[in-house]
Amino acid sequence: MIVRFILTTLFTVSLIVNFDKIALAASASDNFLDHASNYFEQGHYLLALQETDRALQNAASRNQQSKAYGMKGNILLLMLRYNEAEQSLLQAFNLAEETQSKANYANDLGVLYHEIRDKNRSVQYFNSALALVNNDSPLALKIKLNKLRAQPETAKLAQLEQLLAEVFMIQPLRERVRYALNLASIASHHQSAQPVTQAALEKAHMDSAHVNDEQLQLETLDSLSEFYEKQGKYQQALDLSEQASAMSTQLDADDLLINIEWRKGRIYQRFGRDEEALTAFRKAVDHIQMIRRDIPVTYEDGKSSFREKLEPIYLGYAHHLLKKSAQQHDHTKQQTLRLARQTIEQIKQSELEDFLGGRCLIQGLRRNELENFDTDAAILYPIILSDRLELLVSIGKTIHQLTVNVPEQEVRNAALNLSDYLRNWIFLPEFTDEMDGYRQYSEKLYRWIITPVERELAIQSIKTLVVVPDGVLRLVPFSALYDGKQFLIEKYAVSISPGISLMSSDKKITSRSYQSLLAGLSKPGSVVDKLPESIIGGILQAAPSEVKQRKSPIARGILSHYVRTIENKSDLPIAQETNNRSMILKLQEELSLPGVETELSSLKDTLKSKTLLNEQFTVKNFYQQVASQPYEIIHIASHGLFSTDANSSFLMAYDDVIKLDELKTFLKQDRNSKGSIQLLTLSACETAEGDDRAPLGFTGVALKADAQSALGSLWPISDDAASRLMIHFYKNLTQHRSKTESLRQAQLELLNSTDMNHPSFWSPFILVGNWL
């Protein structure tokens, strides 16, 4: 059957798989498979998967096992869980006794290997499927269509018209409609094949009227209206979409309705019919939320498919809400602004769930909305839209809306340039004309984000500014924004939050004793040959000039720099080469952090603490200490890297790396009886360069460890500067200052120094979460 909207339009799977609805049968196994098929039709893939597992448990014959494995494999394929899908489909293929079933599963395996770009095996299984198909014309056509997608573009064009003729001959009518839709999907990518696309879609539309299948009729209306929209026939597209909406009232088809309502919203917006556009976008968002946990997510070049494809729907809704609120007043305006903010929060929550790989984690938080527990702080919530920047500023219970007419691309360019400049400044040669090169970008962002809200902040005597950044703004060190005379940190204590209600927070910290665990690595041990191969290769290949630093011979958080230095090099050293003693010594030397010893020694005098340094900081010792004491502060001074997702994020212990998921398991264990961690500090970790998802790593650690706050760095930082800043930070903290004010004072210490006053030294440190 045709793969559903979420998979055909938003992601990469768009081939015909063997998921035809199984007829209700007497056996328990077949009953479970029928339930699975029903759940699948409704877009509830996780529930469908559970039913296939029940079918397997009740399978009494080889044939039943084969059918259950086949359905499970196809569901997993649609969920983009390719490794599991491969195992199930191979089982189905090997267990299948009927030739037609074997052909079907060979086709499915061809689809899977096409999706993971294994061309040889894809073609191999498609050819096997065609050899097994015998005289089953519909099945043969399904295999041909799938194989066509895997062929070169020139070959596709030559076969489209021939396959269109075969589609028109298929019986029964229901299958003809499905194949016509799939053929149109292939042809739609070729401008010269638009007549084929139109013929296939219009024939499918006409035939679907004679098929007793409202779901299929809905899919046909969706596909044809999409084609008309691309052709610029907006009224025809709108009419068909409205017809689809009216038909869907009795159907559970959230996945298809996302696309239909989104299209209506776009067209209404084009026609200037704002109220109708607002309603359509709202419905599209509601449909996404209904099946959010079933939507598979992929990552490519550091970008989430959810954010890339679904975020525009949320932003479209927020755009119209904010446009409407600008014309409203008083209570009505506040309601609309809160709804707009809540819509953006749904994006943040979904992205954080995808990063961490767990929906239930976020849903189960004990939440306090930020504005409810510190009346002296202002919450700054920038929303980047395509044509403007909207600033929502919460002071007390009131949200103030300010609109800045600056296009998204200008904001994005300024943010990336500022981040890139400050991140790489420590690696630049000594050029005096480069000292203040960041200021043009810093001043632009200050003018767009801070200047519009300053008057209100002054009226309310605000001292703490809590920023809830989104997307590329997560890479910006807000403390380094500059008004031409002063940095933002000179006016306000600055804290970062992942969302209005995404951090579990207590109102007030009553204890200042701070039972602390200090772990650090001034010289790594055997962990160096456990690092990712790309980092090892980068260190071993890096020339001295590639890691030359301006003010300090040693830098913390330089792992991403080493990855960057080996891009496009084919002669990567392999991990096994680190067995060579000289190479191990080079790795250890490059990753040494002498300042860590000074840092931990000073903090030991300041805090009531247990210290694990170098050989003592093994993975086993660290976990044993965390499990043995209810530490309020856990301070880790070691290289670490937060990257695209939690699985590729880690920090270094003496003997091995600690993955983010492993860290959260031990930090959170038995916390219900011990109380939450007040602060988790990572004084030598950094975010991956240019990856605006990477700062979610700090948030992820805090959330998964049930920590109130996390403190870390956005980019590689001087070892000496980090040590000095941390010593000042904890000294301030023990003097009954808030966390954010303690960080502010520590940053000002460096800003007012003679040797570390450049923002590259002091601004990358960010406090995420509870700032009190």
Side-chain angles (χ1 to χ4, degrees), residues 11 28 42 93 105 110 126 195 246 264 402 412 419 450 471 483 519 553 618 629 673 709 742-743 755 764 771:
F11 303 107
Q42 298 166 15
F93 179 77
Y105 299 136
F126 282 139
K264 285 167 56 180
L402 301 106
R412 181 174 181 79
S419 172
I450 305 300
D483 69 359
T618 63
Q629 296 290 331
S673 61
S709 315
S742 297
L743 178 59
D755 58 337
W771 60 90

PDB file of all heavy atoms in Angstrom, residues 11 28 42 93 105 110 126 195 246 264 402 412 419 450 471 483 519 553 618 629 673 709 742-743 755 764 771:
ATOM      1  N   PHE A  11       9.539  12.506   5.319  1.00  0.00           N
ATOM      2  CA  PHE A  11      10.788  11.810   5.475  1.00  0.00           C
ATOM      3  C   PHE A  11      11.176  11.110   4.180  1.00  0.00           C
ATOM      4  O   PHE A  11      10.720  11.472   3.115  1.00  0.00           O
ATOM      5  CB  PHE A  11      10.680  10.846   6.673  1.00  0.00           C
ATOM      6  CG  PHE A  11      10.307  11.554   7.924  1.00  0.00           C
ATOM      7  CD1 PHE A  11       9.037  11.421   8.464  1.00  0.00           C
ATOM      8  CD2 PHE A  11      11.200  12.400   8.531  1.00  0.00           C
ATOM      9  CE1 PHE A  11       8.683  12.113   9.607  1.00  0.00           C
ATOM     10  CE2 PHE A  11      10.855  13.096   9.670  1.00  0.00           C
ATOM     11  CZ  PHE A  11       9.589  12.948  10.209  1.00  0.00           C
ATOM     12  N   ALA A  28      -5.632 -16.586  17.077  1.00  0.00           N
ATOM     13  CA  ALA A  28      -5.245 -15.444  17.916  1.00  0.00           C
ATOM     14  C   ALA A  28      -4.160 -14.621  17.236  1.00  0.00           C
ATOM     15  O   ALA A  28      -4.179 -13.385  17.266  1.00  0.00           O
ATOM     16  CB  ALA A  28      -4.764 -15.955  19.271  1.00  0.00           C
ATOM     17  N   GLN A  42      -4.514   4.006  11.315  1.00  0.00           N
ATOM     18  CA  GLN A  42      -4.788   5.217  12.075  1.00  0.00           C
ATOM     19  C   GLN A  42      -3.524   6.030  12.355  1.00  0.00           C
ATOM     20  O   GLN A  42      -3.592   7.103  12.950  1.00  0.00           O
ATOM     21  CB  GLN A  42      -5.461   4.839  13.405  1.00  0.00           C
ATOM     22  CG  GLN A  42      -6.802   4.136  13.243  1.00  0.00           C
ATOM     23  CD  GLN A  42      -7.263   3.475  14.526  1.00  0.00           C
ATOM     24  OE1 GLN A  42      -6.753   3.754  15.603  1.00  0.00           O
ATOM     25  NE2 GLN A  42      -8.242   2.585  14.402  1.00  0.00           N
ATOM     26  N   PHE A  93      11.234 -13.445   5.397  1.00  0.00           N
ATOM     27  CA  PHE A  93      11.638 -13.999   4.092  1.00  0.00           C
ATOM     28  C   PHE A  93      12.057 -15.460   4.237  1.00  0.00           C
ATOM     29  O   PHE A  93      11.651 -16.328   3.444  1.00  0.00           O
ATOM     30  CB  PHE A  93      12.784 -13.166   3.520  1.00  0.00           C
ATOM     31  CG  PHE A  93      13.290 -13.652   2.190  1.00  0.00           C
ATOM     32  CD1 PHE A  93      12.577 -13.395   1.020  1.00  0.00           C
ATOM     33  CD2 PHE A  93      14.473 -14.362   2.094  1.00  0.00           C
ATOM     34  CE1 PHE A  93      13.035 -13.837  -0.218  1.00  0.00           C
ATOM     35  CE2 PHE A  93      14.936 -14.815   0.872  1.00  0.00           C
ATOM     36  CZ  PHE A  93      14.221 -14.549  -0.290  1.00  0.00           C
ATOM     37  N   TYR A 105       8.251 -10.260   0.610  1.00  0.00           N
ATOM     38  CA  TYR A 105       9.289  -9.911   1.586  1.00  0.00           C
ATOM     39  C   TYR A 105      10.603  -9.540   0.898  1.00  0.00           C
ATOM     40  O   TYR A 105      11.360  -8.713   1.404  1.00  0.00           O
ATOM     41  CB  TYR A 105       9.482 -11.051   2.578  1.00  0.00           C
ATOM     42  CG  TYR A 105       8.224 -11.348   3.362  1.00  0.00           C
ATOM     43  CD1 TYR A 105       7.802 -12.663   3.575  1.00  0.00           C
ATOM     44  CD2 TYR A 105       7.439 -10.313   3.873  1.00  0.00           C
ATOM     45  CE1 TYR A 105       6.632 -12.937   4.282  1.00  0.00           C
ATOM     46  CE2 TYR A 105       6.273 -10.580   4.577  1.00  0.00           C
ATOM     47  CZ  TYR A 105       5.874 -11.885   4.773  1.00  0.00           C
ATOM     48  OH  TYR A 105       4.722 -12.143   5.471  1.00  0.00           O
ATOM     49  N   GLY A 110      14.206  -5.074  -0.520  1.00  0.00           N
ATOM     50  CA  GLY A 110      14.723  -4.148  -1.517  1.00  0.00           C
ATOM     51  C   GLY A 110      14.441  -2.706  -1.131  1.00  0.00           C
ATOM     52  O   GLY A 110      15.293  -1.823  -1.287  1.00  0.00           O
ATOM     53  N   PHE A 126      15.206  -6.774  -5.227  1.00  0.00           N
ATOM     54  CA  PHE A 126      14.145  -6.448  -6.183  1.00  0.00           C
ATOM     55  C   PHE A 126      14.133  -7.462  -7.327  1.00  0.00           C
ATOM     56  O   PHE A 126      13.066  -7.916  -7.768  1.00  0.00           O
ATOM     57  CB  PHE A 126      14.320  -5.034  -6.739  1.00  0.00           C
ATOM     58  CG  PHE A 126      13.874  -3.950  -5.805  1.00  0.00           C
ATOM     59  CD1 PHE A 126      14.616  -2.787  -5.661  1.00  0.00           C
ATOM     60  CD2 PHE A 126      12.700  -4.072  -5.069  1.00  0.00           C
ATOM     61  CE1 PHE A 126      14.207  -1.778  -4.801  1.00  0.00           C
ATOM     62  CE2 PHE A 126      12.280  -3.067  -4.215  1.00  0.00           C
ATOM     63  CZ  PHE A 126      13.038  -1.917  -4.071  1.00  0.00           C
ATOM     64  N   PRO A 195       3.036  15.768 -17.183  1.00  0.00           N
ATOM     65  CA  PRO A 195       1.822  15.180 -17.775  1.00  0.00           C
ATOM     66  C   PRO A 195       1.509  13.786 -17.221  1.00  0.00           C
ATOM     67  O   PRO A 195       0.334  13.436 -17.036  1.00  0.00           O
ATOM     68  CB  PRO A 195       2.154  15.126 -19.266  1.00  0.00           C
ATOM     69  CG  PRO A 195       3.146  16.236 -19.465  1.00  0.00           C
ATOM     70  CD  PRO A 195       3.989  16.215 -18.226  1.00  0.00           C
ATOM     71  N   ALA A 246     -13.724  17.970   4.962  1.00  0.00           N
ATOM     72  CA  ALA A 246     -15.122  17.613   5.235  1.00  0.00           C
ATOM     73  C   ALA A 246     -15.293  16.105   5.313  1.00  0.00           C
ATOM     74  O   ALA A 246     -16.053  15.589   6.142  1.00  0.00           O
ATOM     75  CB  ALA A 246     -16.017  18.198   4.153  1.00  0.00           C
ATOM     76  N   LYS A 264      -4.096  24.130   3.451  1.00  0.00           N
ATOM     77  CA  LYS A 264      -5.162  25.128   3.552  1.00  0.00           C
ATOM     78  C   LYS A 264      -4.627  26.404   4.201  1.00  0.00           C
ATOM     79  O   LYS A 264      -4.926  27.524   3.743  1.00  0.00           O
ATOM     80  CB  LYS A 264      -6.329  24.570   4.368  1.00  0.00           C
ATOM     81  CG  LYS A 264      -7.176  23.555   3.622  1.00  0.00           C
ATOM     82  CD  LYS A 264      -8.103  22.796   4.556  1.00  0.00           C
ATOM     83  CE  LYS A 264      -9.000  23.716   5.358  1.00  0.00           C
ATOM     84  NZ  LYS A 264      -9.890  22.941   6.258  1.00  0.00           N
ATOM     85  N   LEU A 402       7.034  42.761  21.487  1.00  0.00           N
ATOM     86  CA  LEU A 402       7.740  43.762  20.691  1.00  0.00           C
ATOM     87  C   LEU A 402       8.152  43.120  19.375  1.00  0.00           C
ATOM     88  O   LEU A 402       8.682  41.999  19.359  1.00  0.00           O
ATOM     89  CB  LEU A 402       8.969  44.301  21.430  1.00  0.00           C
ATOM     90  CG  LEU A 402       8.647  44.967  22.783  1.00  0.00           C
ATOM     91  CD1 LEU A 402       9.086  44.053  23.904  1.00  0.00           C
ATOM     92  CD2 LEU A 402       9.306  46.312  22.904  1.00  0.00           C
ATOM     93  N   ARG A 412      20.097  35.089  11.566  1.00  0.00           N
ATOM     94  CA  ARG A 412      20.887  33.859  11.513  1.00  0.00           C
ATOM     95  C   ARG A 412      22.356  34.154  11.175  1.00  0.00           C
ATOM     96  O   ARG A 412      23.264  33.622  11.818  1.00  0.00           O
ATOM     97  CB  ARG A 412      20.281  32.907  10.479  1.00  0.00           C
ATOM     98  CG  ARG A 412      21.017  31.590  10.354  1.00  0.00           C
ATOM     99  CD  ARG A 412      20.300  30.611   9.432  1.00  0.00           C
ATOM    100  NE  ARG A 412      21.034  29.358   9.370  1.00  0.00           N
ATOM    101  CZ  ARG A 412      20.988  28.412  10.299  1.00  0.00           C
ATOM    102  NH1 ARG A 412      20.242  28.588  11.350  1.00  0.00           N
ATOM    103  NH2 ARG A 412      21.692  27.306  10.166  1.00  0.00           N
ATOM    104  N   SER A 419      29.138  33.739  16.865  1.00  0.00           N
ATOM    105  CA  SER A 419      29.549  32.477  17.472  1.00  0.00           C
ATOM    106  C   SER A 419      30.850  31.958  16.873  1.00  0.00           C
ATOM    107  O   SER A 419      31.770  31.564  17.599  1.00  0.00           O
ATOM    108  CB  SER A 419      28.439  31.435  17.286  1.00  0.00           C
ATOM    109  OG  SER A 419      28.866  30.157  17.701  1.00  0.00           O
ATOM    110  N   ILE A 450      17.933  43.217  22.455  1.00  0.00           N
ATOM    111  CA  ILE A 450      17.950  43.839  23.789  1.00  0.00           C
ATOM    112  C   ILE A 450      17.395  45.265  23.786  1.00  0.00           C
ATOM    113  O   ILE A 450      16.579  45.623  24.646  1.00  0.00           O
ATOM    114  CB  ILE A 450      19.380  43.843  24.365  1.00  0.00           C
ATOM    115  CG1 ILE A 450      19.956  42.416  24.377  1.00  0.00           C
ATOM    116  CG2 ILE A 450      19.381  44.438  25.764  1.00  0.00           C
ATOM    117  CD1 ILE A 450      19.172  41.423  25.202  1.00  0.00           C
ATOM    118  N   GLY A 471      16.829  27.703  18.234  1.00  0.00           N
ATOM    119  CA  GLY A 471      17.604  27.473  17.021  1.00  0.00           C
ATOM    120  C   GLY A 471      18.996  28.060  17.096  1.00  0.00           C
ATOM    121  O   GLY A 471      19.750  27.827  18.039  1.00  0.00           O
ATOM    122  N   ASP A 483      26.421  47.004  23.454  1.00  0.00           N
ATOM    123  CA  ASP A 483      25.624  48.158  23.038  1.00  0.00           C
ATOM    124  C   ASP A 483      26.455  49.312  22.505  1.00  0.00           C
ATOM    125  O   ASP A 483      25.928  50.389  22.221  1.00  0.00           O
ATOM    126  CB  ASP A 483      24.745  48.646  24.195  1.00  0.00           C
ATOM    127  CG  ASP A 483      25.550  49.270  25.333  1.00  0.00           C
ATOM    128  OD1 ASP A 483      26.798  49.311  25.241  1.00  0.00           O
ATOM    129  OD2 ASP A 483      24.926  49.727  26.312  1.00  0.00           O
ATOM    130  N   ALA A 519      35.586  16.152  40.221  1.00  0.00           N
ATOM    131  CA  ALA A 519      36.289  15.161  39.399  1.00  0.00           C
ATOM    132  C   ALA A 519      37.023  15.892  38.286  1.00  0.00           C
ATOM    133  O   ALA A 519      36.448  16.779  37.644  1.00  0.00           O
ATOM    134  CB  ALA A 519      35.313  14.150  38.823  1.00  0.00           C
ATOM    135  N   PRO A 553      48.789  28.265  26.195  1.00  0.00           N
ATOM    136  CA  PRO A 553      49.260  27.109  25.448  1.00  0.00           C
ATOM    137  C   PRO A 553      48.299  25.925  25.545  1.00  0.00           C
ATOM    138  O   PRO A 553      48.422  24.970  24.815  1.00  0.00           O
ATOM    139  CB  PRO A 553      50.590  26.769  26.139  1.00  0.00           C
ATOM    140  CG  PRO A 553      50.411  27.266  27.546  1.00  0.00           C
ATOM    141  CD  PRO A 553      49.573  28.500  27.419  1.00  0.00           C
ATOM    142  N   THR A 618      38.320   7.373  37.627  1.00  0.00           N
ATOM    143  CA  THR A 618      37.918   6.317  36.701  1.00  0.00           C
ATOM    144  C   THR A 618      36.395   6.288  36.631  1.00  0.00           C
ATOM    145  O   THR A 618      35.705   6.822  37.504  1.00  0.00           O
ATOM    146  CB  THR A 618      38.422   4.942  37.170  1.00  0.00           C
ATOM    147  OG1 THR A 618      37.823   4.637  38.431  1.00  0.00           O
ATOM    148  CG2 THR A 618      39.945   4.944  37.302  1.00  0.00           C
ATOM    149  N   GLN A 629      26.854   9.154  47.983  1.00  0.00           N
ATOM    150  CA  GLN A 629      26.596  10.397  48.704  1.00  0.00           C
ATOM    151  C   GLN A 629      25.552  11.248  47.978  1.00  0.00           C
ATOM    152  O   GLN A 629      25.509  11.257  46.751  1.00  0.00           O
ATOM    153  CB  GLN A 629      27.897  11.225  48.828  1.00  0.00           C
ATOM    154  CG  GLN A 629      28.991  10.587  49.649  1.00  0.00           C
ATOM    155  CD  GLN A 629      28.644  10.541  51.129  1.00  0.00           C
ATOM    156  OE1 GLN A 629      27.910  11.386  51.632  1.00  0.00           O
ATOM    157  NE2 GLN A 629      29.170   9.534  51.818  1.00  0.00           N
ATOM    158  N   SER A 673      15.387   9.618  47.102  1.00  0.00           N
ATOM    159  CA  SER A 673      15.623   9.648  48.542  1.00  0.00           C
ATOM    160  C   SER A 673      16.706  10.642  48.933  1.00  0.00           C
ATOM    161  O   SER A 673      16.781  11.070  50.078  1.00  0.00           O
ATOM    162  CB  SER A 673      16.015   8.242  49.025  1.00  0.00           C
ATOM    163  OG  SER A 673      17.209   7.816  48.382  1.00  0.00           O
ATOM    164  N   SER A 709      20.372  22.832  37.752  1.00  0.00           N
ATOM    165  CA  SER A 709      21.097  23.707  36.823  1.00  0.00           C
ATOM    166  C   SER A 709      22.284  22.965  36.246  1.00  0.00           C
ATOM    167  O   SER A 709      22.805  22.023  36.839  1.00  0.00           O
ATOM    168  CB  SER A 709      21.616  24.972  37.536  1.00  0.00           C
ATOM    169  OG  SER A 709      20.652  25.539  38.367  1.00  0.00           O
ATOM    170  N   SER A 742      26.530  34.789  40.716  1.00  0.00           N
ATOM    171  CA  SER A 742      27.892  34.293  40.962  1.00  0.00           C
ATOM    172  C   SER A 742      28.651  34.152  39.650  1.00  0.00           C
ATOM    173  O   SER A 742      29.840  34.495  39.561  1.00  0.00           O
ATOM    174  CB  SER A 742      27.832  32.937  41.679  1.00  0.00           C
ATOM    175  OG  SER A 742      27.239  33.068  42.945  1.00  0.00           O
ATOM    176  N   LEU A 743      27.971  33.656  38.620  1.00  0.00           N
ATOM    177  CA  LEU A 743      28.611  33.548  37.310  1.00  0.00           C
ATOM    178  C   LEU A 743      28.903  34.932  36.739  1.00  0.00           C
ATOM    179  O   LEU A 743      29.982  35.163  36.168  1.00  0.00           O
ATOM    180  CB  LEU A 743      27.710  32.766  36.355  1.00  0.00           C
ATOM    181  CG  LEU A 743      28.216  32.610  34.920  1.00  0.00           C
ATOM    182  CD1 LEU A 743      29.569  31.909  34.885  1.00  0.00           C
ATOM    183  CD2 LEU A 743      27.204  31.869  34.052  1.00  0.00           C
ATOM    184  N   ASP A 755      44.568  40.559  31.011  1.00  0.00           N
ATOM    185  CA  ASP A 755      45.019  39.510  30.092  1.00  0.00           C
ATOM    186  C   ASP A 755      43.880  38.624  29.561  1.00  0.00           C
ATOM    187  O   ASP A 755      44.080  37.861  28.619  1.00  0.00           O
ATOM    188  CB  ASP A 755      46.067  38.625  30.772  1.00  0.00           C
ATOM    189  CG  ASP A 755      45.553  37.987  32.050  1.00  0.00           C
ATOM    190  OD1 ASP A 755      44.607  38.529  32.642  1.00  0.00           O
ATOM    191  OD2 ASP A 755      46.098  36.942  32.459  1.00  0.00           O
ATOM    192  N   PRO A 764      31.743  32.303  26.936  1.00  0.00           N
ATOM    193  CA  PRO A 764      31.152  31.028  26.530  1.00  0.00           C
ATOM    194  C   PRO A 764      30.469  30.257  27.652  1.00  0.00           C
ATOM    195  O   PRO A 764      29.677  29.358  27.385  1.00  0.00           O
ATOM    196  CB  PRO A 764      32.345  30.238  25.984  1.00  0.00           C
ATOM    197  CG  PRO A 764      33.528  30.819  26.666  1.00  0.00           C
ATOM    198  CD  PRO A 764      33.218  32.273  26.771  1.00  0.00           C
ATOM    199  N   TRP A 771      18.340  29.598  38.049  1.00  0.00           N
ATOM    200  CA  TRP A 771      19.394  30.597  38.215  1.00  0.00           C
ATOM    201  C   TRP A 771      19.523  31.094  39.651  1.00  0.00           C
ATOM    202  O   TRP A 771      20.397  31.878  39.954  1.00  0.00           O
ATOM    203  CB  TRP A 771      19.120  31.794  37.294  1.00  0.00           C
ATOM    204  CG  TRP A 771      17.808  32.481  37.584  1.00  0.00           C
ATOM    205  CD1 TRP A 771      17.586  33.509  38.433  1.00  0.00           C
ATOM    206  CD2 TRP A 771      16.557  32.169  36.996  1.00  0.00           C
ATOM    207  NE1 TRP A 771      16.263  33.861  38.422  1.00  0.00           N
ATOM    208  CE2 TRP A 771      15.599  33.052  37.535  1.00  0.00           C
ATOM    209  CE3 TRP A 771      16.127  31.222  36.051  1.00  0.00           C
ATOM    210  CZ2 TRP A 771      14.253  33.020  37.179  1.00  0.00           C
ATOM    211  CZ3 TRP A 771      14.789  31.202  35.702  1.00  0.00           C
ATOM    212  CH2 TRP A 771      13.871  32.086  36.266  1.00  0.00           C
TER     213      TRP A 771
END
